[in-house]
Amino acid sequence: MASNVVVDQDSCISCGLCVNNLPNVFRFDDSGKAECFDPSGATEEMIQSDAIDICPVACIHWQ
Ligand code: SF4
């Protein structure tokens, strides 16, 4: 079952780590905050290790 990924944009500091590491999953929206536009753009393991685990403010979550 595919899991969805959400970014708490109130907490995102726009550091770019998730967007740079997984550009097929995350992008900046018009407000300059990261958003997940395609949770199937990488494996769940990659999303966990290359985004969720390294987000400096821990604002990316499985839903
Ligand atoms: S890693 Fe976290 S703080 Fe950095 S852009 Fe992504 S969601 Fe925002």
Side-chain angles (χ1 to χ4, degrees):
M1 187 182 77
S3 299
N4 198 18
V5 182
V6 294
V7 174
D8 174 9
Q9 295 192 321
D10 289 338
S11 299
C12 174
I13 59 171
S14 305
C15 75
L17 279 175
C18 63
V19 176
N20 289 331
N21 284 344
L22 300 174
N24 294 324
V25 179
F26 298 97
R27 65 187 173 197
F28 287 121
D29 70 7
D30 290 342
S31 70
K33 301 298 183 85
E35 66 178 0
C36 174
F37 69 97
D38 185 4
S40 65
T43 65
E44 291 190 3
E45 289 77 13
M46 291 172 67
I47 292 172
Q48 183 69 46
S49 63
D50 295 352
I52 293 175
D53 287 349
I54 61 168
C55 174
V57 292
C59 70
I60 309 171
H61 305 283
W62 295 110
Q63 191 176 62

